[in-house]
């Protein structure tokens, strides 16, 4: 609803991606021809295109990744062996889509660097958290103003 605010949010994400971070294992260099932003669904395609403009990076879009039952022929042609990939997401809760895309990238010979998202839900303890991510906003047990919950069959 508030496009200027969202563009500002993406600008902040781009700044985080280029700055050094002691928790994260990678840092983006502007106009790096070896680094590609990888978009795994149409929801994050807008985010990816804006980040691409801010950071002058190429993009790769592969739609309909998620809890899937089959692989679509030809995805390996989209991934280049000499490139490094950052997966761009809108929201990451449990990380299934990110893990699927990471596996596709590595299976095809590309190098997975990490994942960026607007929102990241931290569902694991601090010592088990990933060190390859960057997010604008993180929801955790201690920082959850919207009372977000993930329910499973164990909760019923």
């Amino acid at each position: 609803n508030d496009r200027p605010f969202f563009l500002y949010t993406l600008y902040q994400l781009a700044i985080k991606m280029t700055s050094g971070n002691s928790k994260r294992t990678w840092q983006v260099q502007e106009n790096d021809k070896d680094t590609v932003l990888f978009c795994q669904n149409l929801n994050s395609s807008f985010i990816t295109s804006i980040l691409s403009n801010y950071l002058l990076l190429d993009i790769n879009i592969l739609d309909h990744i998620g809890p899937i039952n089959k692989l679509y022929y030809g995805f390996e042609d989209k991934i280049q062996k000499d490139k490094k990939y950052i997966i761009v997401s809108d929201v990451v809760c449990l990380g299934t889509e990110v893990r699927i895309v990471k596996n596709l990238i590595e299976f095809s010979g590309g190098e997975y660097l990490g994942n960026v998202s607007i929102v990241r839900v931290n569902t694991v303890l601090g010592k088990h958290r990933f060190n390859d991510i960057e997010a604008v906003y993180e929801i955790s047990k201690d920082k959850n103003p919207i009372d977000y919950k993930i329910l499973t069959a164990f909760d019923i």
Side-chain angles (χ1 to χ4, degrees):
N1 291 338
D2 191 346
R3 186 179 173 99
F5 178 72
F6 193 68
L7 293 174
Y8 175 74
T9 301
L10 294 177
Y11 178 72
Q12 291 300 315
L13 182 57
I15 290 172
K16 284 183 169 194
M17 292 170 68
T18 58
S19 66
N21 181 327
S22 60
K23 292 186 277 182
R24 194 179 60 232
T25 57
W26 53 268
Q27 181 178 346
V28 171
Q29 300 296 319
E30 189 176 297
N31 204 20
D32 182 355
K33 299 300 181 197
D34 294 327
T35 302
V36 177
L37 299 175
F38 196 103
C39 169
Q40 82 274 9
N41 62 44
L42 291 180
N43 287 341
S44 60
S45 63
F46 177 74
I47 297 167
T48 306
S49 67
I50 299 301
L51 286 175
S52 171
N53 284 322
Y54 287 154
L55 299 169
L56 304 174
L57 298 176
D58 287 337
I59 64 173
N60 192 333
I61 298 174
L62 186 61
D63 190 21
H64 298 300
I65 299 292
I68 57 173
N69 298 332
K70 65 179 181 177
L71 292 176
Y72 297 97
Y73 178 75
F75 75 87
E76 64 276 355
D77 296 338
K78 294 183 174 270
I79 299 168
Q80 298 176 21
K81 295 181 188 324
D82 60 339
K83 301 289 183 178
K84 299 175 281 187
Y85 293 89
I86 298 173
I87 300 168
V88 180
S89 308
D90 49 358
V91 177
V92 176
C93 293
L94 298 174
T96 301
E97 288 184 5
V98 174
R99 281 191 301 278
I100 290 169
V101 175
K102 177 185 179 201
N103 287 333
L104 291 174
I105 288 169
E106 291 176 342
F107 176 78
S108 301
E111 180 184 346
Y112 166 80
L113 288 182
N115 169 246
V116 297
S117 62
I118 301 301
V119 177
R120 178 90 185 186
V121 180
N122 291 324
T123 56
V124 295
L125 298 174
K127 64 182 180 179
H128 299 292
R129 288 195 182 135
F130 299 102
N131 61 355
D132 59 358
I133 63 168
E134 188 63 73
V136 176
Y137 189 79
E138 294 187 10
I139 295 175
S140 65
K141 183 177 181 180
D142 300 330
K143 184 180 172 186
N144 187 1
I146 60 173
D147 198 29
Y148 181 84
K149 292 180 181 164
I150 299 174
L151 301 176
T152 68
F154 294 131
D155 300 312
I156 298 174

